[in-house]
Amino acid sequence: MERIGLFGGSFDPVHLGHLLVAQAAREELDLARLVFLPAAQSPFKPDRQPTPAPGRLRLLRLALAGKTWCDIDEQEIRRGGVSYTIDTVRDYALRFPQAPLFYLIGADHLPQLPKWRAAEELAGRVEFVVIPRPGQAEQPFPAPFRGRWLAGFPLGVSSSQIRARVKAGWPIDHLVPDRVAEAIRNYRLYL
Ligand code: ATP
């Protein structure tokens, strides 16, 4: 049975933290594929207008080029509005009724899980997988959620940090793939 990982986020822009998570998740969970799910509008960032989807998608495609086990699913962007995880998870549960589904989240989201839309249903449909942040100790899952923590590879990089660096004129080499850094320069994003 194909084990499927789901990785939602703004990816504004995608960075090496995301890519290392992808690699760790594939190895530790023995995933057949990992699906990146760029959000139209994150429920956690109501005050921030994300970069228009075509720009974020271009960077994601560059970052994932050649990674045959990674997919980009644009369904949240097509739906538009606020992107709720349960809507996407229902779609996967319907299309892949036998497949174990794993949903990746940053450790910062863990305490808030019971407040996510349709929390009870969500907890029954997916196993949550927590991505460690540097220096963050493992915490238990709040009921009724079940899940596990990934071991690798904690990296203290965030999209907001990348955007701030570009705005300040600082280099983003080694924080995003070279092709992504070049595209950010060429499209004049985050200035
Ligand atoms: P921002 O800085 O704009 O809040 P972000 O870097 O957290 O963005 P998102 O696209 O919101 O990026 O992240 C998608 C998911 O990946 C979230 O669950 C987030 O917690 C997680 N994540 C992002 N960066 C890291 C990282 N360096 N290590 C572990 N998890 C991360």
Side-chain angles (χ1 to χ4, degrees):
M1 194 50 56
E2 284 214 333
R3 295 157 68 84
I4 302 176
L6 304 173
F7 191 16
S10 301
F11 303 111
D12 192 10
V14 60
H15 53 68
L16 285 190
H18 297 133
L19 299 178
L20 286 173
V21 162
Q23 191 168 319
R26 182 200 191 190
E27 293 166 3
E28 292 178 40
L29 304 169
D30 192 24
L31 298 179
R33 59 199 185 97
L34 177 62
V35 186
F36 284 70
L37 294 150
Q41 172 77 49
S42 164
F44 312 114
K45 303 172 187 171
D47 304 328
R48 183 170 182 272
Q49 184 75 27
T51 302
R56 289 185 286 137
L57 282 168
R58 272 193 207 115
L59 301 181
L60 253 186
R61 285 189 205 110
L62 287 172
L64 300 180
K67 292 191 197 301
T68 51
W69 48 279
C70 289
D71 288 338
I72 303 171
D73 179 344
E74 301 178 24
Q75 66 167 277
E76 296 188 352
I77 286 167
R78 279 196 302 271
R79 271 201 298 275
V82 177
S83 304
Y84 291 105
T85 299
I86 189 63
D87 297 329
T88 306
V89 163
R90 278 182 191 143
D91 172 64
Y92 275 83
L94 210 66
R95 286 192 291 138
F96 306 98
Q98 307 297 331
L101 300 176
F102 299 88
Y103 198 94
L104 275 51
I105 54 167
D108 37 320
H109 292 304
L110 185 59
Q112 304 305 323
L113 273 183
K115 294 196 187 137
W116 284 26
R117 180 171 278 196
E120 194 80 32
E121 180 187 344
L122 195 56
R125 288 199 185 276
V126 296
E127 179 176 334
F128 277 87
V129 178
V130 179
I131 309 157
R133 295 268 189 173
Q136 182 142 25
E138 283 195 21
Q139 306 153 27
F141 277 74
F145 291 88
R146 65 208 159 89
R148 63 179 96 179
W149 285 61
L150 287 180
F153 305 87
L155 183 71
V157 179
S158 67
S159 298
S160 35
Q161 187 185 28
I162 307 278
R163 295 193 301 270
R165 291 182 67 90
V166 173
K167 207 173 176 78
W170 294 335
I172 55 170
D173 308 305
H174 317 299
L175 301 173
V176 299
D178 290 347
R179 282 177 298 225
V180 171
E182 194 181 349
I184 288 174
R185 273 194 300 278
N186 290 338
Y187 292 128
R188 303 184 58 76
L189 292 171
Y190 309 120
L191 290 175

